[in-house]
Amino acid sequence: MEAIAEKKTDITENREIEVTGESVIKDVESIETVGLPFVDNAKMSMRDVNVFYGDKQAIFNVGLDIGKHEVVAMIGPSGCGKSTFLRCLNRMNDTIDICRVDGSLQLEGQDIYDPKLDVVPLRARVGMVFQKPNPFPKSIYDNVAYGPRVHGLVSRRSELDEIVETSLQKAGLWEEVKDRLQAPGTGLSGGQQQRLCIARTIAVSPEVILMDEPCSALDPIATAKIEELIAELSENFTIAIVTHSMQQAARVSNRTAYFHLGKLIEVNDTEKVFTNPDHDLTEAYITGRFG
Amino acid sequence: MNKDQEQIMTTETSGQKPNTIDLVNKNLAKRYRAEKRFRFYGLASIAFGVLCLVFLFTDIIGKGHSAFLQTYVKLNVDLSAEALDISDINDPNQLAGANYQGVLKAALRERFPEVSGRRTKRKLYGTVSNGAGFEVRQMVEADPSLIGQKIDVWVHADDDIDTYYKSRAADGSGAYTGRMSEQQIGWIEALIADGAIEKRFNTTFFNAGDSREPEQAGIRGAIVGSLLTLLVTLALSFPIGVAAAVYLEEYAKKNKFTEFIEVNINNLAAVPSIIFGLLGLAIFINFFEMPRSIPLVGGFVLTLMTLPTIIISSRAAIKAVPPSIREAALGIGASKMQVILHHVLPLAMPGMLTGAIIGMAQALGETAPLLMIGMVAFIVDVPGGIADPATVLPVQIFLWSDSPERAFVERTSAAIMVLLAFLITMNALAVWLRKRLERRW
Amino acid sequence: MDTSTLLATLMILIAVAYVLGRGRSIALADTSGRGYANLNSLPFYYGMLTALWCGIPSLVLVGAWLMFDATIIDQLLIQQLPDDIRSLPAAELGLVLNTINNIAEGNMVGSEPAPYMAAAADTLNRLRTTSQMAMTVAAVTCGMLLAIFAWIRINPAQKARLQVETAFKLILLACSMIAIFTTVGIVFSVIFESLRFFQSVPVFDFLFGLHWSPQMAIRADQVGSSGAFGAIPLFAGTMLISVIALIVAVPTGLMAAIYLSEYASARVRSMVKPLLEVLAGIPTVVYGFFAALTVAPFIRDSGAWTFEFLGLQMAISSESALAAGLVMGVMIIPFVSSLSDDVINAVPQSLRDGSFGLGATQSETIKQVVIPAALPGIVGGVLLAASRAIGETMIVVMAAGLAANLTANPLESVTTVTVQIVTLLVGDQEFDSPKTLAAFALGLMLFVVTLALNYFALHVVKKYREQYE
């Protein structure tokens, strides 16, 4: 395969991409998303989403649905905006002062970016797992119990114990930690920490779980465990996962969305994306010509 | 493409987890109240701090602004040779020793002829400052042709009169009388009615050394003492501090000894300043038998005290110079010393200067260690060098604040205003320097 | 030659040595006809080397001379004194020496001094002149000889650069060791005098005695007047005022730091932070004045009014612990807030994200995640603030009293360790009365306690920082 050199990859000025060898695309601006971005029973639906960091635009006109109990994977080269897009879905971008989001993002018909909407219950419904495991410097038990406690979901200690246990079980961590629930969460291994963070997220019983490259800091064995877990979780939760690994996307997701320089290029059933993509850029990416 | 999406959107019926969100919503109001309360505590804390600052400044300025004016009394003085008790007006010795206090007393007696009795007369003489004779002497020495004339002379009023006149409202009410008798008040009111009392800018305050008499006391001695002390401190602490910082950042290997030095520096930065005073007393004064009360020893003590500050900020400045610059210089064959002298120090200089200024500001405001080494003595003369007995501005403030005379309260506050003005200027200079010269890598 | 002229002379000498050394190296290089190439180092280094040989030993000599000449001259002078004077006790001998010193400097106009004193004053003046001259000669000779020595040794193969760089490094090392010397100096000066104090007052009585009245000890000849040096009331007073200060400063400083780092906009932060820092830059003597003349009378008057209103028979001292403590608290607010600000900012954003991602509100995140995570750092900061409060001097000297009351009532007057140190040492003092030495024993206690607090606090903060690095 010919070596392909990208010339200009600044996400703000993606007027033109020259790819030596075969010319894949001339103007990213003009791209329309191909494939099937929209589904019938959408849990979340996003239309014409634009995201800006100060003057720089990071996301261009993205429209995408996430169906109920579906696992949607978002893939693409570094800096393509997939994480930015994911963070819009429960307004985690609010913590960045210069970030501005346009367009319509709805959770079951409710506008997420409605100024009157309260982010606290929103985030209780749309939980998030982060790239680097970030357990609180508290005990394992307190980490999992944190969400139910702040939201006041339980009134009795026994209920809380139950939630902690089921959450840890669902996250596949219970057997490993049941004897040391009072040990600090930071003392676990990286994979265990990430599963603890997942347990912490599902303890609130969210409807949607957003995962931002949850395995990027983990070794292959821990990754396999998390992937298994995602498959199990998809029975009860709607999941959107950003991943760097195409294999992971192929293994865990029902549908896959390919982002390129802030644009959503293609959304299709995972199998189709990895076997017979509609778009040349998608093909170039999955065949490893850039990324 | 987007149009038909709207039909697809189906709001999910509350099948799966209705519990969670309902519970969340139930508690929401309470949680937001807690949030508001918490924010309020934060805001209140800041408001408290800022209010304290405002209150402090208002209080000091309110008390001290009047000290920049001084009350003067006009007397019609007979400067004849007989009254002055001199025979030869061209003899400087006679001019210096003439009876100036006497002519002032005579002028007061003439103004208030009804006063009789020794004690009452002494009270009357107390209307003008007992340094007033000196003022007349200076006037006569500057212009000997005044001798033989009878002229109006403005002299410093005594501090009691000064306080009375300053606190007196235009209609004569609300005045602070303090130790003054009815009779004295009567005299003052008579003088006021004559227009023989007025306030002028207080040059004495800036030109004189310390004095037991508030109206003759000034801060010049203390300011010069402070400057001399700071000079010694700066001359010692900046080079030593920078040298130590360079050693620790550029040369020192990571070992127990280096760590020991660092622990020492960090601890010294937090040792109470009075301990440095004990050190100065025991080592410099007691062991090396250096004289007390001199800026040199004060400078030594303050050097030891500010060194940690300067070392720490200099190290930060050196650390901020990117390694790439050192590597670039080393790469073309510069020696370590050349790298430091040619590249690291010039680039780190703004940061180090900022640190030095902040250290100096700290030294300028310091009192306790200087009390220990005797800079608390009562010194009238303005010091002429680093080996002359001196006091410093903060110590002067401390001394005056202990004085019972009410007139010293306003002078103390005014001295504080001068001290704060110096400090604010130095800190503003540091901020400006940092903004202006600091490089961002 | 007086000392400053001597120093200036030496500076000129050093400059001359530099020029000569540099010149010789260039001359040596040129004779070879190949320029500087055959020189081991640049001419600058040969000049520096000569200058260092010239300057350092002579400057060290001058320094040492100045340090010790007073002591040596005194010893010589004492040997000249008549026998009966020489055998006086040390304190009286000191007074005699003082008088002689004053006569020698011409400060004793009026009364005619005793003949032996006048003679001794002459001797003193002669000794001083001799010493000054000897120092001048020794320093200049030393500088010149060594410069010539170094100048002769210059040759192209000499590794001048290495030698200069080594000297440079050693000088830097010496400068950084001043920190150690300072600590050692502090330890020795307080321990030495404290040990003398503990010879007359038992350690146990000092540490656990309940009664403090050092003034009684002035007249050592008086029967039963050993003085009372029980330091417990001082420790208690120090604790009381420090605790009041911390009660004011810790919550306020912490909440201010939280608000500024988590809630305030960049604009508000950039305005409020410098304002709070001004509070830290105000000299303590100003706070003392404020406490003594504004806060204390206010507390006394408003307290009196309140008690009258409540019908209570109580009085508030005008030198109450409360006034000093409150003002000290205000002084420490920016200290606590900037330390807390640092540690709060060191808490990684990922922890906040984790909490926000679960739907926690900001205050829940701060209270339950950020503060617990930052707790070690905050504790360290509070300990540093405590050490600051304990060692603070001017506020308590001016606003707290001298009465060593053992009380926990903040409305009464208490005294502190630092107040007593200042009171005992300001003014004339003799270095052998327990009264003066007691100040050093108090200084030792103060040093030990603050050192322990600082060491522990810095250790905690360091460990805390490493955790998130």
Side-chain angles (χ1 to χ4, degrees):
Chain A
M1 190 178 294
E2 291 150 343
I4 291 171
E6 271 185 4
K7 256 192 167 171
K8 215 168 180 185
T9 51
D10 186 358
I11 55 163
T12 57
E13 286 180 35
N14 40 6
R15 299 263 173 264
E16 187 180 7
I17 310 275
E18 277 180 38
V19 182
T20 51
E22 88 198 271
S23 162
V24 181
I25 187 139
K26 282 285 185 309
D27 190 359
V28 181
E29 234 9 27
S30 65
I31 291 177
E32 289 270 317
T33 308
V34 298
L36 302 163
F38 309 125
V39 297
D40 284 346
N41 62 345
K43 182 81 186 172
M44 301 189 77
S45 58
M46 280 62 68
R47 298 290 179 276
D48 302 320
V49 176
N50 290 292
V51 181
F52 304 86
Y53 288 113
D55 298 334
K56 294 188 174 182
Q57 189 165 5
I59 298 283
F60 299 83
N61 284 320
V62 169
L64 177 69
D65 279 351
I66 298 170
K68 230 175 145 182
H69 294 186
E70 176 183 51
V71 180
V72 174
M74 301 178 190
I75 58 171
S78 299
C80 68
K82 53 194 190 300
S83 285
T84 300
F85 182 69
L86 189 77
R87 287 170 71 95
C88 292
L89 302 187
N90 73 343
R91 290 184 51 178
M92 279 307 285
N93 281 338
D94 285 12
T95 56
I96 302 163
D97 286 340
I98 54 165
C99 182
R100 188 163 58 82
V101 179
D102 275 357
S104 141
L105 296 93
Q106 294 186 327
L107 172 65
E108 295 183 341
Q110 197 175 19
D111 183 4
I112 296 175
Y113 276 83
D114 183 341
K116 278 179 283 188
L117 180 117
D118 189 348
V119 293
V120 169
L122 169 72
R123 287 176 187 158
R125 296 174 67 188
V126 184
M128 185 152 190
V129 176
F130 297 86
Q131 188 168 355
K132 244 180 76 191
N134 54 354
F136 302 136
K138 297 166 178 281
S139 69
I140 294 169
Y141 183 95
D142 286 339
N143 260 287
V144 182
Y146 178 76
R149 273 187 185 143
V150 298
H151 289 300
L153 298 184
V154 290
S155 44
R156 271 196 309 268
R157 175 80 186 190
S158 58
E159 288 178 67
L160 192 59
D161 289 346
E162 202 184 310
I163 289 187
V164 170
E165 183 177 339
T166 43
S167 305
L168 283 169
Q169 270 167 350
K170 280 187 200 161
L173 195 61
W174 175 248
E175 289 304 318
E176 291 160 63
V177 301
K178 65 180 178 195
D179 300 328
R180 46 176 177 143
L181 288 176
Q182 294 310 319
T186 42
L188 297 172
S189 73
Q192 288 174 322
Q193 285 190 6
Q194 193 62 300
R195 277 180 283 151
L196 177 63
C197 291
I198 292 173
R200 188 175 70 189
T201 308
I202 56 189
V204 188
S205 309
E207 295 155 36
V208 182
I209 300 177
L210 309 175
M211 296 187 173
D212 187 359
E213 301 190 28
C215 303
S216 68
L218 305 182
D219 63 67
I221 294 170
T223 303
K225 280 203 171 152
I226 303 274
E227 284 177 8
E228 236 171 76
L229 176 59
I230 293 170
E232 284 168 28
L233 291 175
S234 65
E235 288 170 21
N236 295 317
F237 300 96
T238 302
I239 296 174
I241 177 169
V242 161
T243 174
H244 228 80
S245 147
M246 281 175 281
Q247 289 82 354
Q248 187 170 69
R251 283 194 295 264
V252 301
S253 68
N254 308 109
R255 283 195 305 146
T256 296
Y258 173 66
F259 283 77
H260 190 97
L261 299 175
K263 302 277 300 186
L264 180 54
I265 307 295
E266 173 171 355
V267 186
N268 260 322
D269 284 345
T270 300
E271 210 184 318
K272 179 163 168 51
V273 170
F274 286 101
T275 50
N276 182 23
D278 286 340
H279 203 287
D280 294 342
L281 265 175
T282 317
E283 187 173 1
Y285 179 69
I286 62 162
T287 52
R289 273 181 282 166
F290 53 79
Chain B
M1 190 147 92
N2 287 339
K3 286 259 169 81
D4 45 9
Q5 292 307 125
E6 268 153 34
Q7 279 105 35
I8 299 173
M9 274 189 351
T10 53
T11 44
E12 187 167 349
T13 46
S14 50
Q16 191 185 354
K17 304 264 191 269
N19 245 351
T20 297
I21 197 63
D22 287 349
L23 282 169
V24 169
N25 285 332
K26 204 180 79 196
N27 291 322
L28 220 48
K30 208 173 100 202
R31 289 168 67 193
Y32 276 125
R33 277 200 301 280
E35 172 80 27
K36 263 199 185 131
R37 248 190 337 265
F38 190 73
R39 269 184 95 123
F40 172 76
Y41 294 148
L43 210 53
S45 298
I46 288 178
F48 176 72
V50 174
L51 271 180
C52 284
L53 185 69
V54 171
F55 185 54
L56 183 83
F57 271 81
T58 329
D59 184 52
I60 300 285
I61 293 174
K63 282 199 176 106
H65 72 277
S66 53
F68 294 108
L69 293 175
Q70 163 67 35
T71 308
Y72 283 75
V73 176
K74 185 172 75 175
L75 291 176
N76 192 254
V77 183
D78 177 14
L79 290 177
S80 65
E82 307 84 70
L84 285 170
D85 196 15
I86 52 177
S87 49
D88 179 6
I89 61 164
N90 293 321
D91 180 2
N93 279 336
Q94 283 204 10
L95 276 189
N99 188 7
Y100 297 106
Q101 209 65 36
V103 295
L104 285 169
K105 286 177 183 172
L108 281 165
R109 279 198 303 272
E110 189 185 309
R111 175 65 186 78
F112 297 103
E114 70 279 9
V115 175
S116 64
R118 266 172 59 109
R119 285 181 62 186
T120 330
K121 274 186 184 162
R122 198 169 328 131
K123 267 191 183 165
L124 178 64
Y125 300 153
T127 309
V128 296
S129 161
N130 60 13
F134 186 70
E135 291 172 64
V136 180
R137 174 182 144 190
Q138 279 182 320
M139 222 157 71
V140 173
E141 280 178 337
D143 182 9
S145 68
L146 290 174
I147 293 179
Q149 299 182 31
K150 191 166 187 196
I151 52 167
D152 281 346
V153 175
W154 287 96
V155 292
H156 280 70
D158 187 64
D159 60 300
D160 284 341
I161 283 86
D162 187 42
T163 310
Y164 175 85
Y165 187 58
K166 279 175 182 166
S167 58
R168 177 183 180 275
D171 60 354
S173 65
Y176 175 86
T177 51
R179 313 180 281 189
M180 286 165 61
S181 65
E182 283 297 319
Q183 203 176 16
Q184 279 173 301
I185 294 170
W187 296 330
I188 308 308
E189 287 298 336
L191 287 170
I192 294 171
D194 281 1
I197 286 190
E198 69 175 36
K199 283 185 279 187
R200 297 183 185 173
F201 183 69
N202 190 356
T203 47
T204 314
F205 183 68
F206 293 98
N207 289 329
D210 196 6
S211 171
R212 299 276 186 221
E213 300 296 328
E215 73 274 4
Q216 291 168 38
I219 53 171
R220 191 187 195 105
I223 286 183
V224 173
S226 272
L227 289 181
L228 290 170
T229 311
L230 275 197
L231 202 70
V232 175
T233 311
L234 183 66
L236 289 173
S237 65
F238 188 59
I240 295 177
V242 168
V246 168
Y247 178 79
L248 291 173
E249 281 302 315
E250 302 284 331
Y251 284 100
K253 297 184 183 68
K254 263 233 165 296
N255 57 24
K256 287 268 179 240
F257 181 67
T258 311
E259 204 180 309
F260 183 60
I261 295 181
E262 285 178 356
V263 167
N264 265 302
I265 291 172
N266 289 336
N267 277 322
L268 283 179
V271 163
S273 60
I274 192 169
I275 298 281
F276 288 96
L278 287 178
L279 168 81
L281 178 61
I283 304 279
F284 297 126
I285 307 264
N286 206 18
F287 186 70
F288 290 127
E289 302 196 350
M290 292 183 182
R292 280 167 186 281
S293 314
I294 62 170
L296 184 66
V297 177
F300 284 166
V301 170
L302 293 181
T303 297
L304 296 182
M305 202 193 77
T306 48
L307 257 183
T309 313
I310 294 185
I311 294 177
I312 290 169
S313 63
S314 299
R315 288 186 72 178
I318 292 172
K319 238 182 225 151
V321 177
S324 61
I325 292 196
R326 293 184 187 83
E327 282 159 12
L330 287 172
I332 53 172
S335 72
K336 187 128 194 166
M337 185 172 132
Q338 285 167 329
V339 172
I340 292 166
L341 292 180
H342 299 169
H343 300 282
V344 176
L345 282 186
L347 290 173
M349 197 46 83
M352 298 196 292
L353 281 178
T354 313
I357 294 174
I358 289 168
M360 288 305 109
Q362 190 190 338
L364 176 60
E366 199 52 69
T367 322
L370 302 178
L371 298 183
M372 299 286 97
I373 56 156
M375 291 190 89
V376 67
F378 173 71
I379 291 151
V380 177
D381 295 330
V382 175
I386 54 172
D388 286 353
T391 188
V392 294
L393 203 44
V395 176
Q396 186 73 75
I397 291 166
F398 170 63
L399 285 173
W400 282 355
S401 73
D402 241 10
S403 304
E405 287 93 346
R406 200 184 147 94
F408 266 129
V409 173
E410 63 174 27
R411 280 171 175 76
T412 313
S413 305
I416 288 175
M417 285 160 72
V418 174
L419 178 63
L420 289 178
F422 273 113
L423 289 175
I424 289 172
T425 314
M426 286 168 84
N427 281 303
L429 186 68
V431 170
W432 179 79
L433 205 64
R434 187 159 43 199
K435 283 225 171 92
R436 184 76 195 274
L437 299 175
E438 204 168 57
R439 240 174 265 245
R440 295 248 169 253
W441 303 98
Chain C
M1 216 185 291
D2 66 7
T3 312
S4 47
T5 328
L6 174 61
L7 287 178
T9 315
L10 285 179
M11 286 301 147
I12 295 169
L13 216 57
I14 291 167
V16 171
Y18 171 78
V19 172
L20 289 180
R22 190 173 177 278
R24 180 166 157 88
S25 73
I26 292 173
L28 288 173
D30 282 348
T31 51
S32 71
R34 288 184 293 140
Y36 296 164
N38 70 329
L39 280 182
N40 175 282
S41 317
L42 288 173
F44 165 80
Y45 288 104
Y46 291 96
M48 280 307 286
L49 192 60
T50 322
L52 285 173
W53 273 101
C54 168
I56 292 189
S58 53
L59 287 175
V60 169
L61 182 76
V62 172
W65 200 294
L66 288 175
M67 274 179 183
F68 295 107
D69 74 335
T71 324
I72 293 168
I73 287 177
D74 274 358
Q75 287 310 314
L76 290 174
L77 189 64
I78 289 170
Q79 280 168 16
Q80 307 259 322
L81 292 175
D83 282 339
D84 56 326
I85 305 289
R86 250 194 298 173
S87 54
L88 283 174
E92 286 177 46
L93 190 60
L95 272 178
V96 172
L97 286 179
N98 227 343
T99 320
I100 294 173
N101 191 23
N102 278 331
I103 299 169
E105 285 174 5
N107 290 344
M108 288 287 275
V109 276
S111 62
E112 196 61 36
Y116 80 89
M117 279 196 174
D122 281 347
T123 318
L124 181 62
N125 274 334
R126 218 177 44 245
L127 281 173
R128 278 190 179 156
T129 323
T130 319
S131 159
Q132 193 72 31
M133 263 168 56
M135 176 172 75
T136 310
V137 172
V140 172
T141 321
C142 164
M144 287 207 307
L145 282 180
L146 288 174
I148 291 167
F149 169 72
W151 186 79
I152 291 171
R153 282 205 335 163
I154 290 175
N155 70 70
Q158 191 185 17
K159 291 189 167 63
R161 185 177 64 76
L162 277 181
Q163 290 170 6
V164 170
E165 298 223 337
T166 310
F168 182 68
K169 185 179 162 180
L170 287 178
I171 293 171
L172 295 186
L173 174 65
C175 286
S176 65
M177 278 171 59
I178 285 184
I180 296 179
F181 293 141
T182 310
T183 312
V184 171
I186 290 175
V187 170
F188 270 92
S189 54
V190 292
I191 283 189
F192 186 64
E193 311 288 355
S194 299
L195 286 178
R196 288 174 62 192
F197 172 71
F198 290 133
Q199 281 167 4
S200 49
V201 177
V203 180
F204 187 84
D205 290 2
F206 173 71
L207 285 181
F208 302 104
L210 296 178
H211 192 60
W212 176 268
S213 60
Q215 276 70 17
M216 284 170 65
I218 293 173
R219 291 175 58 191
D221 52 326
Q222 206 174 25
V223 183
S225 72
S226 57
F229 289 101
I232 288 288
L234 310 192
F235 298 151
T238 309
M239 285 294 292
L240 178 61
I241 291 181
S242 304
V243 165
I244 295 172
L246 290 179
I247 288 174
V248 174
V250 172
T252 321
L254 187 58
M255 283 309 295
I258 288 170
Y259 190 87
L260 285 179
S261 60
E262 304 278 331
Y263 285 106
S265 67
R267 216 169 62 87
V268 170
R269 195 162 44 234
S270 70
M271 276 172 8
V272 172
K273 250 186 138 172
L275 272 183
L276 284 183
E277 276 161 18
V278 169
L279 222 43
I282 293 175
T284 54
V285 69
V286 177
Y287 281 111
F289 179 75
F290 182 64
L293 268 88
T294 306
V295 179
F298 175 76
I299 288 177
R300 187 193 56 211
D301 296 345
S302 61
W305 188 85
T306 315
F307 286 142
E308 200 179 291
F309 186 75
L310 296 172
L312 290 171
Q313 286 293 318
M314 273 175 87
I316 299 178
S317 163
S318 61
E319 292 178 328
S320 60
L322 187 61
L326 280 181
V327 174
M328 196 191 285
V330 171
M331 184 191 81
I332 301 178
I333 288 174
F335 192 67
V336 175
S337 89
S338 76
L339 285 171
S340 313
D341 197 39
D342 284 355
V343 294
I344 286 171
N345 284 330
V347 174
Q349 183 64 28
S350 69
L351 287 185
R352 293 187 182 85
D353 283 353
S355 177
F356 289 140
L358 291 169
T361 64
Q362 206 159 0
S363 66
E364 285 159 357
T365 305
I366 294 165
K367 279 188 282 194
Q368 302 190 30
V369 176
V370 177
I371 303 253
L375 199 59
I378 292 173
V379 169
V382 170
L383 289 181
L384 283 177
S387 131
R388 185 87 180 246
I390 290 172
E392 172 47 42
T393 309
M394 292 320 291
I395 294 179
V396 281
V397 166
M398 293 166 83
L402 287 171
N405 296 324
L406 189 54
T407 175
N409 179 358
L411 302 179
E412 270 187 57
S413 158
V414 295
T415 191
T416 72
V417 172
T418 48
V419 171
Q420 289 303 319
I421 294 177
V422 170
T423 319
L424 295 176
L425 285 184
V426 168
D428 293 325
Q429 56 240 175
E430 298 158 46
F431 264 85
D432 42 9
S433 87
K435 184 185 161 217
T436 309
L437 296 175
F440 284 90
L442 290 175
L444 177 66
M445 294 309 299
L446 184 62
F447 182 66
V448 168
V449 169
T450 52
L451 189 73
L453 277 176
N454 296 342
Y455 185 77
F456 185 61
L458 291 171
H459 186 73
V460 168
V461 173
K462 197 174 154 213
K463 279 273 166 288
Y464 164 75
R465 290 196 171 283
E466 280 166 1
Q467 182 191 339
Y468 290 120
E469 258 168 16

